[in-house]
Amino acid sequence: MCKLRSVFTPYPDQRPGTSGLRKKVFVFQSKRNYLQNFIQSIYSSIDLLDRQGSTMVVGGDGRYFNQTAIEVIVQMAAANGVGRLVIGHHGIMSTPAVSCVIRKYKAIGGIVLTASHNPGGREGDFGIKFNTANGGPAQDAVTNRIFQISRTIEEYAICPEILVDLATLSKQTFDLENKFKPFTVEIVDSVESYANMLRNIFDFAALKELLSGENHIKIQLDAMHGVMGPYVKRILCEELGSPANSAINCVPLQDFGGQHPDPNLTYAADLVETMRGGQYDFGAAFDGDGDRSMILGKHGFFVNPSDSVAVIAANVFSIPYFQHTGVRGYARSMPTSAALDNVARATKIELYETPTGWKFFGNLMDAGKLSLCGEESFGTGADHIREKDGLWAVLAWLSILATRKQSVEDIIKDHWQTFGRNFFTKYDYEEVDLDAAIQMMEDLELRILGKAFMGQRFAVGEKLYQVEKADNFEYTDPVDGRICRNQGLRIIFTDGSRIIYRLSGTGSMGATVRVYIDSYEKDPDKIFRDPRVSLRPGKRLFRD
């Protein structure tokens, strides 16, 4: 029943990025055994003794090629000695829910099928990410091992006759040759375990009063035809009482309805326009796999993700979970604005600045050093799981609204009055030629690290910025001492403002150059202005 098959040829391009392996769908479909090579590399990266009879979790965001990949993953799991797979109904499970279920079932890991906020469909992207036993993305040592195996792999193991019914909630067993126990596949409710976890974090009674009580607020939530539709419907509408029409685009589609499932002002423009009408008090949009969300207030008031995590930190005890656990530390990714730093400084709580990638937060959480964290790319979360969590962030904001009885805009403006404001903007240059991008970064690094650059002054409007420090960010993990170098170029000014340049590893083609501008303002008379820097392709930020 189970067989060893030749891989035909290893592939040199299966190095997992910060969010796993992401490629165009046609790469998985057109390259012989491309999927099988990578899945076998994941299984082979786990010690045989740990793998035998173990439990693993599988789920995806429902994008095109999801069910095809799950069929192969199941057949190869059986052949590689895995004892039980726990799979979301119809193969769908949000990334936060996968992390939750891994931890609940004490699984040795999980395979997440998603390309997050990247487009789906036949012409879109597909991704495979391996999460380890803590529920979080695999650390570098694991992904490096997977990559090395993928370059030398000669064969893969598969039981091609195993066919699983993903449409029925059930436990399915398969008797295999030379196995003492049958191979088991459990198709589980994708929402319930995750919803039960949230019930133990938030005050659902207070949230229900906020959303359906006598003086309830009106909300609009856009699942963008990604994985979050069933979660929003079940938790926000059916359980917390928000009207059914407050949740839109809740049917997961293989191509996300032809849209880009990225919760920002550009791709969630329909929600932004609806919120501008003033009918709704609170709005949110979710990405394809449910780990990111955008927060909006009445009249389309936009909450910058960097401000969002800072506001949650400043109001952290509005959430019952933190009333019981306390707060061990805060963290942000290096490109994220320093708004969270201001809260940490005022509350005397440790602040960690990490490279981009949730795995760095997970390491701090496992060591008991971190409670709340976030990143500028609409990801916020806490130590309840080891992934960022879009719906958790929405419920955190609703908890703050329930406690403070203010609008989103008033809460944000009060925050700026107390802590100052970090004007923050980000520019993405996608599908750039990789060699040219690397050369640009090298040239820029030489320039900013030169002695002549230190102390230079630059005027923007009425404000003068003086360079205090410039470097290529290096992170030493306080838990295990590992050092991560070359994480992005930083230009830091004397007032704490910053400009960051970084190459991203989450695209499927070419390189993405990301530029971040973080300007701090503490003058109460200026914090409500919007002095955004205009940055256009080809425009120089630096004088010659």
Side-chain angles (χ1 to χ4, degrees):
M1 190 175 185
C2 297
K3 304 175 181 179
L4 288 175
R5 290 181 174 173
S6 170
V7 301
F8 179 66
T9 181
Y11 292 98
D13 64 343
Q14 293 191 328
R15 179 188 290 277
T18 55
S19 296
L21 179 70
R22 290 185 184 172
K23 301 289 180 183
K24 291 294 183 182
V25 169
F26 73 78
V27 173
F28 289 95
Q29 291 181 317
S30 62
K31 291 190 175 184
R32 183 176 175 183
N33 296 331
Y34 194 84
L35 172 66
Q36 289 86 341
N37 284 22
F38 191 69
I39 297 302
Q40 184 61 57
S41 299
I42 291 176
Y43 290 138
S44 296
S45 72
I46 306 168
D47 289 341
L48 182 60
L49 289 177
D50 293 332
R51 204 165 67 224
Q52 292 295 328
S54 64
T55 296
M56 293 186 71
V57 179
V58 180
D61 59 16
R63 66 179 57 231
Y64 185 79
F65 200 65
N66 189 68
Q67 294 202 4
T68 300
I70 289 176
E71 181 177 297
V72 172
I73 289 167
V74 170
Q75 293 170 350
M76 294 183 65
N80 278 276
V82 175
R84 176 174 66 161
L85 287 183
V86 179
I87 305 177
H89 196 203
H90 298 293
I92 291 176
M93 189 182 292
S94 75
T95 293
V98 170
S99 182
C100 167
V101 173
I102 288 173
R103 295 167 68 84
K104 174 184 175 180
Y105 283 83
K106 296 181 171 53
I108 63 165
I111 296 176
V112 190
L113 303 173
T114 178
S116 188
H117 53 288
N118 292 11
R122 290 177 181 271
E123 306 302 320
D125 295 349
F126 188 75
I128 305 170
K129 184 174 72 166
F130 178 55
N131 283 22
T132 50
N134 72 342
Q139 298 288 343
D140 288 343
V142 176
T143 57
N144 288 340
R145 185 194 291 182
I146 292 170
F147 178 55
Q148 292 304 322
I149 293 171
S150 75
R151 297 176 65 187
T152 59
I153 188 172
E154 295 180 350
E155 58 188 15
Y156 65 91
I158 190 166
C159 299
E161 297 176 18
I162 291 180
L163 297 176
V164 171
D165 176 12
L166 297 176
T168 304
L169 295 174
S170 60
K171 178 183 288 188
Q172 303 166 41
T173 59
F174 303 87
D175 292 319
L176 305 178
E177 297 174 4
N178 303 318
K179 301 290 183 181
F180 293 109
K181 292 183 179 180
F183 172 63
T184 302
V185 177
E186 293 183 31
I187 309 301
V188 300
D189 185 316
S190 304
V191 178
E192 187 52 38
S193 292
Y194 175 77
N196 191 54
M197 176 189 68
L198 294 180
R199 294 182 192 109
N200 292 316
I201 294 173
F202 298 101
D203 183 345
F204 268 36
L207 292 175
K208 187 167 186 176
E209 180 65 24
L210 177 74
L211 297 177
S212 57
E214 184 177 352
N215 298 308
H216 67 273
I217 66 170
K218 296 184 69 175
I219 67 173
Q220 183 82 158
L221 304 176
D222 188 350
M224 302 188 80
H225 289 301
V227 74
M228 286 309 295
Y231 295 82
V232 169
K233 282 288 190 183
R234 179 91 64 86
I235 297 169
L236 272 298
C237 298
E238 295 176 17
E239 183 156 357
L240 296 180
S242 192
N245 63 5
S246 63
I248 60 174
N249 299 323
C250 286
V251 177
L253 298 176
Q254 292 187 345
D255 65 348
F256 306 107
Q259 303 301 311
H260 201 130
D262 196 351
N264 59 38
L265 295 174
T266 299
Y267 295 115
D270 289 347
L271 175 66
V272 174
E273 190 60 33
T274 297
M275 292 298 297
R276 283 177 179 156
Q279 179 182 358
Y280 298 98
D281 303 293
F282 179 89
F286 302 91
D287 72 340
D289 67 323
D291 61 355
R292 306 173 194 232
S293 58
M294 174 179 68
I295 306 297
L296 299 171
K298 197 166 189 173
H299 303 297
F301 184 86
F302 172 65
V303 179
N304 189 291
S306 299
D307 281 339
S308 181
V309 66
V311 169
I312 294 173
N315 296 274
V316 72
F317 295 115
S318 297
I319 302 170
Y321 176 83
F322 293 113
Q323 297 172 14
H324 298 300
T325 66
V327 178
R328 302 177 182 91
Y330 298 131
R332 62 168 175 82
S333 62
M334 181 272 287
T336 302
S337 93
L340 182 60
D341 306 39
N342 303 328
V343 177
R345 192 178 304 113
T347 55
K348 295 181 172 56
I349 291 174
E350 187 76 23
L351 185 284
Y352 301 93
E353 182 181 28
T354 74
T356 297
W358 212 259
K359 59 192 175 188
F360 298 102
F361 296 147
N363 217 33
L364 293 167
M365 290 174 183
D366 288 346
K369 294 179 176 292
L370 177 60
S371 296
L372 174 69
C373 51
E375 56 186 18
E376 44 70 34
S377 55
F378 296 90
T380 306
D383 60 351
H384 60 294
I385 55 173
R386 298 297 182 265
E387 287 279 9
K388 46 188 173 279
D389 192 341
L391 186 52
W392 179 95
V394 166
L395 295 182
W397 263 96
L398 292 174
S399 297
I400 294 169
L401 295 181
T403 299
R404 295 188 51 165
K405 296 178 172 48
Q406 289 178 286
S407 69
V408 171
E409 183 173 353
D410 286 345
I411 290 169
I412 286 285
K413 289 183 174 179
D414 282 355
H415 183 89
W416 290 340
Q417 290 277 12
T418 303
F419 298 100
R421 180 179 180 183
N422 287 75
F423 290 94
F424 183 80
T425 188
K426 169 187 174 183
Y427 300 86
D428 290 347
Y429 299 83
E430 298 176 336
E431 298 187 6
V432 176
D433 179 79
L434 179 59
D435 292 337
I438 291 173
Q439 185 64 55
M440 183 273 293
M441 292 291 286
E442 290 175 349
D443 291 346
L444 181 59
E445 183 173 5
L446 286 174
R447 182 167 189 174
I448 68 172
L449 295 185
K451 290 183 179 179
F453 190 71
M454 294 301 107
Q456 283 198 27
R457 298 181 179 183
F458 302 90
V460 179
E462 301 175 355
K463 191 159 183 174
L464 189 67
Y465 297 87
Q466 183 172 5
V467 177
E468 180 177 70
K469 179 181 179 181
D471 64 9
N472 193 332
F473 181 60
E474 180 178 295
Y475 175 69
T476 300
D477 194 303
V479 178
D480 55 25
R482 64 192 162 124
I483 299 174
C484 298
R485 298 183 172 88
N486 303 314
Q487 296 297 311
L489 303 179
R490 301 189 300 174
I491 302 167
I492 303 173
F493 300 96
T494 52
D495 68 342
S497 298
R498 305 175 306 150
I499 300 176
I500 310 294
Y501 290 83
R502 191 175 72 85
L503 290 183
S504 172
T506 59
S508 62
M509 293 182 66
T512 299
V513 179
R514 305 195 192 277
V515 183
Y516 312 81
I517 300 173
D518 177 14
S519 177
Y520 180 65
E521 182 58 70
K522 61 181 178 181
D523 185 340
D525 295 328
K526 298 178 179 179
I527 60 174
F528 297 123
R529 297 181 185 179
D530 192 12
R532 285 176 286 188
V533 176
S534 177
L535 180 64
R536 299 179 180 87
K539 181 175 180 179
R540 294 181 179 177
L541 281 177
F542 306 105
R543 62 189 184 193
D544 291 326

